[in-house]
Amino acid sequence: PANDDVDLLKQLFPNVVTIKCRQNIGFARANNLGYRNATGEYLLFLNPDTKLHGPAVNIMLSATKALQDAAIVGCRLLNSDLSLQTSCVQKVPTIANQLLDVEILHHQWPGCRLWDISPLYREAIGPEKVEVISGACMLVKRSVFEQIGLFSEEYFMYADDIDLCWKAIQCGMANYFVGDATIIHYGGASSQRQEMNNWATIMKFRSVQTFCAKRRGAWYALLFRVTMGIAAAVRLVLIAAFLSIKEHAGKESAARVSLSKWTAVLKWAIGLDGVAAPVVNEF
């Protein structure tokens, strides 16, 4: 939020602890800073571009208290048009599932072991174990958050939620999706321009590469980058061919957005994206 928004928040809710940094310190560091200034037994990490839909937090809290092995609990995320946001449940990244990260494939075969988002399509029958919960909304017990080592601060944004969930699994705990708790997530609302979206795309791929290097080794991370570069080149050829067919003129706008995105990915893969890594200073 803007500085005046923070000041207004202090005036309206004087009992709420507010923290105002001099610059953007990144998702992981900001959440860790919030944790260090919190006193509650349970921690809710909730993106600012969200809206509660019913008693979502109460439902997640009840589930967390009831599940003995629960580390991180998440909920169903909806887009602004109330359509399902499939990213609320994920698998730990591999080269295979990142290569096949195509929305139409996820919808067609939600139970595929590479991405398994099948809990999203089942009637809410209670909490279900999943590998990764989206960082847009995470509920975790304070003692568990401390045990698994907080958010890893080498990530500026993206993949820090994946890393946290991975650490929880390595500690012998489980992450749960609670389907009857719902939150609207207006993801990307603050970055409508395509160049900003491309910046976010590059940051996502960089963060996944960092995760691969940290958890699977440098060679795996390099192979991930090379593979995604080849995939981007193939997609660009297919998109260019699609745009050359006049019968598809009605879908030209969406194709050009994809063209811009995968051009950015290819430039990242070969080191020509020209996007500097965020510099995080002391606050």
Side-chain angles (χ1 to χ4, degrees):
N3 288 339
D4 53 349
D5 293 334
V6 176
D7 294 334
L8 179 61
L9 184 65
K10 289 181 179 180
Q11 295 175 16
L12 295 176
F13 304 98
N15 294 327
V16 174
V17 176
T18 57
I19 305 166
K20 184 164 61 175
C21 299
R22 290 194 295 269
Q23 69 281 316
N24 186 352
I25 62 174
F27 182 90
R29 290 190 70 192
N31 279 326
N32 287 344
L33 178 61
Y35 144 77
R36 293 186 178 98
N37 286 271
T39 58
E41 182 182 357
Y42 294 89
L43 303 169
L44 176 66
F45 299 104
L46 184 65
N47 273 20
D49 57 346
T50 54
K51 179 181 179 181
L52 298 181
H53 192 265
V57 176
N58 290 339
I59 294 172
M60 288 190 292
L61 182 60
S62 296
T64 305
K65 291 179 177 179
L67 297 164
Q68 296 297 318
D69 64 339
I72 301 163
V73 172
C75 66
R76 187 180 302 276
L77 301 178
L78 302 179
N79 295 305
S80 57
D81 61 359
L82 301 186
S83 61
L84 179 65
Q85 199 168 105
T86 56
S87 61
C88 52
V89 168
Q90 304 169 41
K91 295 279 281 187
V92 171
T94 64
I95 291 175
N97 65 25
Q98 295 301 294
L99 184 63
L100 297 174
D101 185 19
V102 180
E103 192 76 5
I104 191 171
L105 296 180
H106 292 183
H107 284 295
Q108 188 68 31
W109 295 285
C112 176
R113 294 180 63 182
L114 286 176
W115 51 76
D116 194 8
I117 58 172
S118 56
L120 301 178
Y121 294 87
R122 286 195 282 269
E123 292 293 331
I125 56 175
E128 294 194 56
K129 289 184 179 181
V130 296
E131 286 192 1
V132 176
I133 294 295
S134 169
C137 180
M138 289 178 151
L139 183 65
V140 56
K141 196 171 184 178
R142 183 185 188 90
S143 59
V144 170
F145 188 62
E146 293 171 346
Q147 181 181 345
I148 61 181
L150 286 62
F151 282 102
S152 298
E153 296 186 359
E154 60 264 50
Y155 304 97
F156 182 79
M157 61 187 299
Y158 302 120
D160 30 38
D161 50 356
I162 297 171
D163 194 86
L164 188 72
C165 291
W166 185 92
K167 290 190 292 186
I169 294 172
Q170 297 305 303
C171 288
M173 291 177 276
N175 305 310
Y176 284 90
F177 167 73
V178 181
D180 51 355
T182 303
I183 285 178
I184 299 174
H185 180 215
Y186 302 92
S190 61
S191 56
Q192 295 294 332
R193 294 181 304 162
Q194 184 56 39
E195 57 266 30
M196 287 299 296
N197 290 334
N198 287 342
W199 180 86
T201 296
I202 292 170
M203 291 303 300
K204 287 179 182 179
F205 277 92
R206 281 184 177 177
S207 295
V208 172
Q209 183 184 14
T210 298
F211 176 85
C212 289
K214 183 177 178 181
R215 304 303 182 188
R216 303 185 189 278
W219 282 106
Y220 192 93
L222 177 60
L223 183 58
F224 164 74
R225 183 166 184 157
V226 171
T227 301
M228 295 313 301
I230 294 172
V234 172
R235 292 194 190 212
L236 288 172
V237 171
L238 295 176
I239 294 169
F242 179 89
L243 288 171
S244 68
I245 302 174
K246 294 183 179 180
E247 297 86 75
H248 294 151
K251 299 180 181 179
E252 183 177 345
S253 178
R256 291 196 180 280
V257 170
S258 294
L259 185 69
S260 178
K261 170 187 173 180
W262 290 105
T263 299
V265 173
L266 180 59
K267 288 181 177 180
W268 160 78
I270 61 179
L272 297 177
D273 55 85
V275 177
V279 176
V280 179
N281 300 313
E282 293 301 317
F283 49 88

PDB file of all heavy atoms in Angstrom, residues 231-261:
ATOM      1  N   ALA A 231      11.721 -24.932 -25.185  1.00  0.00           N
ATOM      2  CA  ALA A 231      10.257 -24.926 -25.208  1.00  0.00           C
ATOM      3  C   ALA A 231       9.721 -23.572 -25.666  1.00  0.00           C
ATOM      4  O   ALA A 231       8.754 -23.498 -26.433  1.00  0.00           O
ATOM      5  CB  ALA A 231       9.718 -25.267 -23.817  1.00  0.00           C
ATOM      6  N   ALA A 232      10.354 -22.499 -25.211  1.00  0.00           N
ATOM      7  CA  ALA A 232       9.929 -21.156 -25.610  1.00  0.00           C
ATOM      8  C   ALA A 232      10.115 -20.959 -27.116  1.00  0.00           C
ATOM      9  O   ALA A 232       9.248 -20.394 -27.796  1.00  0.00           O
ATOM     10  CB  ALA A 232      10.710 -20.106 -24.824  1.00  0.00           C
ATOM     11  N   ALA A 233      11.249 -21.435 -27.643  1.00  0.00           N
ATOM     12  CA  ALA A 233      11.507 -21.297 -29.074  1.00  0.00           C
ATOM     13  C   ALA A 233      10.470 -22.053 -29.898  1.00  0.00           C
ATOM     14  O   ALA A 233       9.967 -21.535 -30.912  1.00  0.00           O
ATOM     15  CB  ALA A 233      12.915 -21.798 -29.398  1.00  0.00           C
ATOM     16  N   VAL A 234      10.127 -23.260 -29.462  1.00  0.00           N
ATOM     17  CA  VAL A 234       9.115 -24.056 -30.174  1.00  0.00           C
ATOM     18  C   VAL A 234       7.760 -23.351 -30.136  1.00  0.00           C
ATOM     19  O   VAL A 234       7.050 -23.257 -31.146  1.00  0.00           O
ATOM     20  CB  VAL A 234       9.013 -25.463 -29.557  1.00  0.00           C
ATOM     21  CG1 VAL A 234       7.825 -26.226 -30.147  1.00  0.00           C
ATOM     22  CG2 VAL A 234      10.304 -26.250 -29.793  1.00  0.00           C
ATOM     23  N   ARG A 235       7.389 -22.842 -28.972  1.00  0.00           N
ATOM     24  CA  ARG A 235       6.102 -22.145 -28.856  1.00  0.00           C
ATOM     25  C   ARG A 235       6.066 -20.906 -29.740  1.00  0.00           C
ATOM     26  O   ARG A 235       5.023 -20.589 -30.329  1.00  0.00           O
ATOM     27  CB  ARG A 235       5.861 -21.767 -27.398  1.00  0.00           C
ATOM     28  CG  ARG A 235       5.616 -22.961 -26.493  1.00  0.00           C
ATOM     29  CD  ARG A 235       5.065 -22.519 -25.164  1.00  0.00           C
ATOM     30  NE  ARG A 235       5.034 -23.612 -24.198  1.00  0.00           N
ATOM     31  CZ  ARG A 235       4.129 -23.743 -23.247  1.00  0.00           C
ATOM     32  NH1 ARG A 235       3.145 -22.864 -23.149  1.00  0.00           N
ATOM     33  NH2 ARG A 235       4.160 -24.749 -22.399  1.00  0.00           N
ATOM     34  N   LEU A 236       7.172 -20.194 -29.827  1.00  0.00           N
ATOM     35  CA  LEU A 236       7.201 -18.992 -30.661  1.00  0.00           C
ATOM     36  C   LEU A 236       6.986 -19.330 -32.136  1.00  0.00           C
ATOM     37  O   LEU A 236       6.296 -18.596 -32.858  1.00  0.00           O
ATOM     38  CB  LEU A 236       8.531 -18.265 -30.468  1.00  0.00           C
ATOM     39  CG  LEU A 236       8.698 -17.547 -29.125  1.00  0.00           C
ATOM     40  CD1 LEU A 236      10.124 -17.030 -28.956  1.00  0.00           C
ATOM     41  CD2 LEU A 236       7.700 -16.386 -29.002  1.00  0.00           C
ATOM     42  N   VAL A 237       7.570 -20.447 -32.574  1.00  0.00           N
ATOM     43  CA  VAL A 237       7.363 -20.879 -33.966  1.00  0.00           C
ATOM     44  C   VAL A 237       5.888 -21.207 -34.201  1.00  0.00           C
ATOM     45  O   VAL A 237       5.294 -20.808 -35.210  1.00  0.00           O
ATOM     46  CB  VAL A 237       8.241 -22.107 -34.283  1.00  0.00           C
ATOM     47  CG1 VAL A 237       7.866 -22.693 -35.646  1.00  0.00           C
ATOM     48  CG2 VAL A 237       9.716 -21.725 -34.274  1.00  0.00           C
ATOM     49  N   LEU A 238       5.273 -21.924 -33.246  1.00  0.00           N
ATOM     50  CA  LEU A 238       3.862 -22.295 -33.389  1.00  0.00           C
ATOM     51  C   LEU A 238       2.955 -21.069 -33.357  1.00  0.00           C
ATOM     52  O   LEU A 238       1.990 -20.983 -34.118  1.00  0.00           O
ATOM     53  CB  LEU A 238       3.478 -23.278 -32.276  1.00  0.00           C
ATOM     54  CG  LEU A 238       4.174 -24.641 -32.306  1.00  0.00           C
ATOM     55  CD1 LEU A 238       3.758 -25.466 -31.090  1.00  0.00           C
ATOM     56  CD2 LEU A 238       3.834 -25.386 -33.594  1.00  0.00           C
ATOM     57  N   ILE A 239       3.259 -20.121 -32.480  1.00  0.00           N
ATOM     58  CA  ILE A 239       2.440 -18.905 -32.388  1.00  0.00           C
ATOM     59  C   ILE A 239       2.565 -18.082 -33.664  1.00  0.00           C
ATOM     60  O   ILE A 239       1.572 -17.546 -34.175  1.00  0.00           O
ATOM     61  CB  ILE A 239       2.853 -18.071 -31.159  1.00  0.00           C
ATOM     62  CG1 ILE A 239       2.525 -18.823 -29.862  1.00  0.00           C
ATOM     63  CG2 ILE A 239       2.133 -16.715 -31.160  1.00  0.00           C
ATOM     64  CD1 ILE A 239       3.125 -18.192 -28.612  1.00  0.00           C
ATOM     65  N   ALA A 240       3.779 -17.993 -34.196  1.00  0.00           N
ATOM     66  CA  ALA A 240       3.992 -17.243 -35.441  1.00  0.00           C
ATOM     67  C   ALA A 240       3.203 -17.879 -36.589  1.00  0.00           C
ATOM     68  O   ALA A 240       2.598 -17.182 -37.411  1.00  0.00           O
ATOM     69  CB  ALA A 240       5.476 -17.186 -35.777  1.00  0.00           C
ATOM     70  N   ALA A 241       3.188 -19.210 -36.623  1.00  0.00           N
ATOM     71  CA  ALA A 241       2.429 -19.904 -37.654  1.00  0.00           C
ATOM     72  C   ALA A 241       0.933 -19.651 -37.483  1.00  0.00           C
ATOM     73  O   ALA A 241       0.196 -19.454 -38.461  1.00  0.00           O
ATOM     74  CB  ALA A 241       2.718 -21.403 -37.598  1.00  0.00           C
ATOM     75  N   PHE A 242       0.491 -19.646 -36.247  1.00  0.00           N
ATOM     76  CA  PHE A 242      -0.922 -19.379 -35.942  1.00  0.00           C
ATOM     77  C   PHE A 242      -1.326 -17.985 -36.412  1.00  0.00           C
ATOM     78  O   PHE A 242      -2.383 -17.797 -37.002  1.00  0.00           O
ATOM     79  CB  PHE A 242      -1.141 -19.520 -34.435  1.00  0.00           C
ATOM     80  CG  PHE A 242      -2.549 -19.250 -33.982  1.00  0.00           C
ATOM     81  CD1 PHE A 242      -3.491 -20.265 -33.942  1.00  0.00           C
ATOM     82  CD2 PHE A 242      -2.937 -17.977 -33.583  1.00  0.00           C
ATOM     83  CE1 PHE A 242      -4.788 -20.019 -33.526  1.00  0.00           C
ATOM     84  CE2 PHE A 242      -4.231 -17.722 -33.161  1.00  0.00           C
ATOM     85  CZ  PHE A 242      -5.165 -18.755 -33.140  1.00  0.00           C
ATOM     86  N   LEU A 243      -0.471 -17.006 -36.143  1.00  0.00           N
ATOM     87  CA  LEU A 243      -0.775 -15.624 -36.521  1.00  0.00           C
ATOM     88  C   LEU A 243      -0.798 -15.418 -38.035  1.00  0.00           C
ATOM     89  O   LEU A 243      -1.405 -14.464 -38.528  1.00  0.00           O
ATOM     90  CB  LEU A 243       0.241 -14.677 -35.886  1.00  0.00           C
ATOM     91  CG  LEU A 243       0.111 -14.477 -34.373  1.00  0.00           C
ATOM     92  CD1 LEU A 243       1.295 -13.691 -33.828  1.00  0.00           C
ATOM     93  CD2 LEU A 243      -1.199 -13.755 -34.043  1.00  0.00           C
ATOM     94  N   SER A 244      -0.125 -16.304 -38.754  1.00  0.00           N
ATOM     95  CA  SER A 244      -0.077 -16.171 -40.211  1.00  0.00           C
ATOM     96  C   SER A 244      -1.350 -16.667 -40.892  1.00  0.00           C
ATOM     97  O   SER A 244      -1.569 -16.411 -42.078  1.00  0.00           O
ATOM     98  CB  SER A 244       1.129 -16.930 -40.775  1.00  0.00           C
ATOM     99  OG  SER A 244       0.948 -18.339 -40.608  1.00  0.00           O
ATOM    100  N   ILE A 245      -2.196 -17.354 -40.138  1.00  0.00           N
ATOM    101  CA  ILE A 245      -3.445 -17.881 -40.698  1.00  0.00           C
ATOM    102  C   ILE A 245      -4.555 -16.862 -40.481  1.00  0.00           C
ATOM    103  O   ILE A 245      -4.930 -16.568 -39.343  1.00  0.00           O
ATOM    104  CB  ILE A 245      -3.816 -19.235 -40.040  1.00  0.00           C
ATOM    105  CG1 ILE A 245      -2.675 -20.238 -40.244  1.00  0.00           C
ATOM    106  CG2 ILE A 245      -5.124 -19.766 -40.614  1.00  0.00           C
ATOM    107  CD1 ILE A 245      -2.893 -21.546 -39.515  1.00  0.00           C
ATOM    108  N   LYS A 246      -5.106 -16.332 -41.517  1.00  0.00           N
ATOM    109  CA  LYS A 246      -6.077 -15.241 -41.419  1.00  0.00           C
ATOM    110  C   LYS A 246      -7.359 -15.655 -40.713  1.00  0.00           C
ATOM    111  O   LYS A 246      -8.031 -14.836 -40.094  1.00  0.00           O
ATOM    112  CB  LYS A 246      -6.399 -14.710 -42.817  1.00  0.00           C
ATOM    113  CG  LYS A 246      -5.218 -14.027 -43.494  1.00  0.00           C
ATOM    114  CD  LYS A 246      -5.613 -13.455 -44.841  1.00  0.00           C
ATOM    115  CE  LYS A 246      -4.429 -12.743 -45.496  1.00  0.00           C
ATOM    116  NZ  LYS A 246      -4.792 -12.174 -46.815  1.00  0.00           N
ATOM    117  N   GLU A 247      -7.711 -16.950 -40.797  1.00  0.00           N
ATOM    118  CA  GLU A 247      -8.958 -17.387 -40.175  1.00  0.00           C
ATOM    119  C   GLU A 247      -8.936 -17.216 -38.656  1.00  0.00           C
ATOM    120  O   GLU A 247      -9.977 -17.226 -37.998  1.00  0.00           O
ATOM    121  CB  GLU A 247      -9.239 -18.859 -40.492  1.00  0.00           C
ATOM    122  CG  GLU A 247      -9.457 -19.152 -41.969  1.00  0.00           C
ATOM    123  CD  GLU A 247      -8.148 -19.386 -42.702  1.00  0.00           C
ATOM    124  OE1 GLU A 247      -7.562 -20.455 -42.538  1.00  0.00           O
ATOM    125  OE2 GLU A 247      -7.729 -18.472 -43.436  1.00  0.00           O
ATOM    126  N   HIS A 248      -7.744 -17.067 -38.075  1.00  0.00           N
ATOM    127  CA  HIS A 248      -7.609 -16.933 -36.629  1.00  0.00           C
ATOM    128  C   HIS A 248      -7.515 -15.475 -36.192  1.00  0.00           C
ATOM    129  O   HIS A 248      -7.065 -15.187 -35.093  1.00  0.00           O
ATOM    130  CB  HIS A 248      -6.363 -17.690 -36.147  1.00  0.00           C
ATOM    131  CG  HIS A 248      -6.484 -19.167 -36.333  1.00  0.00           C
ATOM    132  ND1 HIS A 248      -5.386 -19.983 -36.534  1.00  0.00           N
ATOM    133  CD2 HIS A 248      -7.562 -19.981 -36.360  1.00  0.00           C
ATOM    134  CE1 HIS A 248      -5.790 -21.237 -36.669  1.00  0.00           C
ATOM    135  NE2 HIS A 248      -7.110 -21.256 -36.572  1.00  0.00           N
ATOM    136  N   ALA A 249      -7.937 -14.572 -37.057  1.00  0.00           N
ATOM    137  CA  ALA A 249      -7.782 -13.150 -36.755  1.00  0.00           C
ATOM    138  C   ALA A 249      -8.479 -12.756 -35.464  1.00  0.00           C
ATOM    139  O   ALA A 249      -8.030 -11.874 -34.736  1.00  0.00           O
ATOM    140  CB  ALA A 249      -8.340 -12.313 -37.908  1.00  0.00           C
ATOM    141  N   GLY A 250      -9.597 -13.425 -35.138  1.00  0.00           N
ATOM    142  CA  GLY A 250     -10.335 -13.086 -33.925  1.00  0.00           C
ATOM    143  C   GLY A 250      -9.580 -13.402 -32.654  1.00  0.00           C
ATOM    144  O   GLY A 250      -9.893 -12.855 -31.589  1.00  0.00           O
ATOM    145  N   LYS A 251      -8.611 -14.292 -32.739  1.00  0.00           N
ATOM    146  CA  LYS A 251      -7.829 -14.684 -31.566  1.00  0.00           C
ATOM    147  C   LYS A 251      -6.419 -14.089 -31.594  1.00  0.00           C
ATOM    148  O   LYS A 251      -5.541 -14.506 -30.847  1.00  0.00           O
ATOM    149  CB  LYS A 251      -7.735 -16.211 -31.481  1.00  0.00           C
ATOM    150  CG  LYS A 251      -9.095 -16.893 -31.347  1.00  0.00           C
ATOM    151  CD  LYS A 251      -8.945 -18.403 -31.266  1.00  0.00           C
ATOM    152  CE  LYS A 251     -10.310 -19.088 -31.149  1.00  0.00           C
ATOM    153  NZ  LYS A 251     -10.189 -20.558 -31.090  1.00  0.00           N
ATOM    154  N   GLU A 252      -6.233 -13.106 -32.457  1.00  0.00           N
ATOM    155  CA  GLU A 252      -4.896 -12.537 -32.653  1.00  0.00           C
ATOM    156  C   GLU A 252      -4.382 -11.854 -31.400  1.00  0.00           C
ATOM    157  O   GLU A 252      -3.190 -11.947 -31.081  1.00  0.00           O
ATOM    158  CB  GLU A 252      -4.932 -11.541 -33.814  1.00  0.00           C
ATOM    159  CG  GLU A 252      -3.575 -10.941 -34.136  1.00  0.00           C
ATOM    160  CD  GLU A 252      -3.625 -10.021 -35.342  1.00  0.00           C
ATOM    161  OE1 GLU A 252      -4.628 -10.071 -36.082  1.00  0.00           O
ATOM    162  OE2 GLU A 252      -2.665  -9.250 -35.526  1.00  0.00           O
ATOM    163  N   SER A 253      -5.247 -11.179 -30.677  1.00  0.00           N
ATOM    164  CA  SER A 253      -4.816 -10.442 -29.488  1.00  0.00           C
ATOM    165  C   SER A 253      -4.210 -11.372 -28.445  1.00  0.00           C
ATOM    166  O   SER A 253      -3.128 -11.108 -27.912  1.00  0.00           O
ATOM    167  CB  SER A 253      -5.998  -9.684 -28.888  1.00  0.00           C
ATOM    168  OG  SER A 253      -5.607  -9.005 -27.717  1.00  0.00           O
ATOM    169  N   ALA A 254      -4.890 -12.494 -28.146  1.00  0.00           N
ATOM    170  CA  ALA A 254      -4.381 -13.451 -27.164  1.00  0.00           C
ATOM    171  C   ALA A 254      -3.074 -14.075 -27.641  1.00  0.00           C
ATOM    172  O   ALA A 254      -2.152 -14.315 -26.845  1.00  0.00           O
ATOM    173  CB  ALA A 254      -5.422 -14.535 -26.907  1.00  0.00           C
ATOM    174  N   ALA A 255      -2.980 -14.337 -28.938  1.00  0.00           N
ATOM    175  CA  ALA A 255      -1.762 -14.932 -29.490  1.00  0.00           C
ATOM    176  C   ALA A 255      -0.578 -13.985 -29.362  1.00  0.00           C
ATOM    177  O   ALA A 255       0.551 -14.409 -29.078  1.00  0.00           O
ATOM    178  CB  ALA A 255      -1.982 -15.314 -30.949  1.00  0.00           C
ATOM    179  N   ARG A 256      -0.828 -12.688 -29.542  1.00  0.00           N
ATOM    180  CA  ARG A 256       0.258 -11.711 -29.436  1.00  0.00           C
ATOM    181  C   ARG A 256       0.728 -11.557 -27.984  1.00  0.00           C
ATOM    182  O   ARG A 256       1.901 -11.297 -27.727  1.00  0.00           O
ATOM    183  CB  ARG A 256      -0.172 -10.366 -30.019  1.00  0.00           C
ATOM    184  CG  ARG A 256      -0.348 -10.404 -31.524  1.00  0.00           C
ATOM    185  CD  ARG A 256      -0.390  -9.035 -32.161  1.00  0.00           C
ATOM    186  NE  ARG A 256      -0.562  -9.125 -33.603  1.00  0.00           N
ATOM    187  CZ  ARG A 256       0.424  -9.398 -34.462  1.00  0.00           C
ATOM    188  NH1 ARG A 256       1.653  -9.589 -34.010  1.00  0.00           N
ATOM    189  NH2 ARG A 256       0.188  -9.467 -35.746  1.00  0.00           N
ATOM    190  N   VAL A 257      -0.194 -11.707 -27.047  1.00  0.00           N
ATOM    191  CA  VAL A 257       0.200 -11.701 -25.634  1.00  0.00           C
ATOM    192  C   VAL A 257       1.123 -12.892 -25.354  1.00  0.00           C
ATOM    193  O   VAL A 257       2.159 -12.755 -24.699  1.00  0.00           O
ATOM    194  CB  VAL A 257      -1.045 -11.751 -24.721  1.00  0.00           C
ATOM    195  CG1 VAL A 257      -0.632 -11.997 -23.275  1.00  0.00           C
ATOM    196  CG2 VAL A 257      -1.819 -10.451 -24.820  1.00  0.00           C
ATOM    197  N   SER A 258       0.748 -14.072 -25.879  1.00  0.00           N
ATOM    198  CA  SER A 258       1.590 -15.260 -25.713  1.00  0.00           C
ATOM    199  C   SER A 258       2.934 -15.086 -26.398  1.00  0.00           C
ATOM    200  O   SER A 258       3.972 -15.520 -25.881  1.00  0.00           O
ATOM    201  CB  SER A 258       0.876 -16.493 -26.276  1.00  0.00           C
ATOM    202  OG  SER A 258      -0.271 -16.797 -25.521  1.00  0.00           O
ATOM    203  N   LEU A 259       2.907 -14.451 -27.570  1.00  0.00           N
ATOM    204  CA  LEU A 259       4.151 -14.196 -28.302  1.00  0.00           C
ATOM    205  C   LEU A 259       5.093 -13.340 -27.462  1.00  0.00           C
ATOM    206  O   LEU A 259       6.302 -13.627 -27.365  1.00  0.00           O
ATOM    207  CB  LEU A 259       3.833 -13.493 -29.621  1.00  0.00           C
ATOM    208  CG  LEU A 259       5.008 -13.258 -30.571  1.00  0.00           C
ATOM    209  CD1 LEU A 259       5.496 -14.578 -31.149  1.00  0.00           C
ATOM    210  CD2 LEU A 259       4.588 -12.316 -31.705  1.00  0.00           C
ATOM    211  N   SER A 260       4.560 -12.292 -26.842  1.00  0.00           N
ATOM    212  CA  SER A 260       5.371 -11.422 -26.000  1.00  0.00           C
ATOM    213  C   SER A 260       5.915 -12.176 -24.791  1.00  0.00           C
ATOM    214  O   SER A 260       7.092 -12.031 -24.427  1.00  0.00           O
ATOM    215  CB  SER A 260       4.528 -10.227 -25.553  1.00  0.00           C
ATOM    216  OG  SER A 260       5.273  -9.379 -24.696  1.00  0.00           O
ATOM    217  N   LYS A 261       5.059 -12.990 -24.163  1.00  0.00           N
ATOM    218  CA  LYS A 261       5.473 -13.743 -22.979  1.00  0.00           C
ATOM    219  C   LYS A 261       6.618 -14.696 -23.294  1.00  0.00           C
ATOM    220  O   LYS A 261       7.648 -14.702 -22.598  1.00  0.00           O
ATOM    221  CB  LYS A 261       4.285 -14.528 -22.427  1.00  0.00           C
ATOM    222  CG  LYS A 261       4.670 -15.521 -21.343  1.00  0.00           C
ATOM    223  CD  LYS A 261       3.515 -16.410 -20.939  1.00  0.00           C
ATOM    224  CE  LYS A 261       3.975 -17.509 -19.980  1.00  0.00           C
ATOM    225  NZ  LYS A 261       2.859 -18.398 -19.563  1.00  0.00           N
TER     226      LYS A 261
END
